Amino acid sequence: MAGRGTHEHPHGADRLCEAGDRVYSRAVRRGRVPRRDAEPVPCLLELALLHPDPDDMDFLVPTAPQEVMTRLLRGMFEEVSESHRRVGSAVAAFERYAGLGSQVQPLQTAAEGTAIRVLDGLSRIQAAMDEATEACRTAHRGDRAVR
């Protein structure tokens, strides 16, 4: 439910586009809307906020807001639970690696003179550049505060 809509309406049910908000609100107030009113906002059908009226296929009826909220919260809960599982796995892996590292001589830190750090992959390079830029900003702010 918190998934994405179409290319023209790239959002989830938790943050509808303005047009989608207007049509869904009207459908909730009136109990249904003409199908043609929803043509400009296919996201409402894709997100299952509107569905065909079984009594008249020229109209769409809204999914109850309470049901939409339940779906959103369930999806968010699942995302948070998955994040917790990933954090637990990462901690376990690095604890295992840390145990292995006690047998190896630690690498020099940047303050001890490490001259080169080899990075592979655009995302790692960009993250290192962002980290270095932030470190420079923080150091520069600290220099100004001392003066």
Side-chain angles (χ1 to χ4, degrees):
M1 196 71 203
R4 300 290 176 198
T6 66
H7 180 68
E8 296 83 27
H9 297 278
H11 56 71
D14 55 334
R15 44 190 186 284
L16 288 177
C17 58
E18 191 175 322
D21 179 60
R22 279 194 310 272
V23 173
Y24 181 68
S25 295
R26 188 175 332 121
V28 170
R29 279 193 310 273
R30 296 180 183 171
R32 66 183 195 165
V33 291
R35 185 179 287 270
R36 70 180 176 281
D37 288 3
E39 287 173 0
V41 284
C43 52
L44 295 178
L45 289 166
E46 290 179 8
L47 294 169
L49 296 176
L50 295 178
H51 51 90
D53 184 339
D55 295 326
D56 188 343
M57 296 304 280
D58 290 333
F59 286 85
L60 299 169
V61 295
T63 301
Q66 297 83 350
E67 184 179 335
V68 174
M69 179 61 71
T70 299
R71 288 184 200 171
L72 284 172
L73 292 176
R74 185 179 313 122
M76 289 177 189
F77 176 79
E78 289 168 1
E79 289 173 14
V80 168
S81 295
E82 177 58 27
S83 291
H84 284 176
R85 281 190 290 277
R86 289 177 44 217
V87 166
S89 295
V91 168
F94 283 101
E95 285 176 346
R96 184 171 54 86
Y97 296 138
L100 297 174
S102 63
Q103 303 163 2
V104 178
Q105 188 75 312
L107 294 173
Q108 291 180 332
T109 65
E112 295 171 321
T114 302
I116 297 175
R117 184 169 131 200
V118 178
L119 301 172
D120 187 24
L122 185 59
S123 63
R124 287 189 185 115
I125 293 167
Q126 185 63 53
M129 289 172 48
D130 292 345
E131 183 181 319
T133 301
E134 185 56 34
C136 290
R137 285 187 187 126
T138 303
H140 180 69
R141 284 186 212 119
D143 289 345
R144 285 191 295 181
V146 172
R147 290 184 189 161

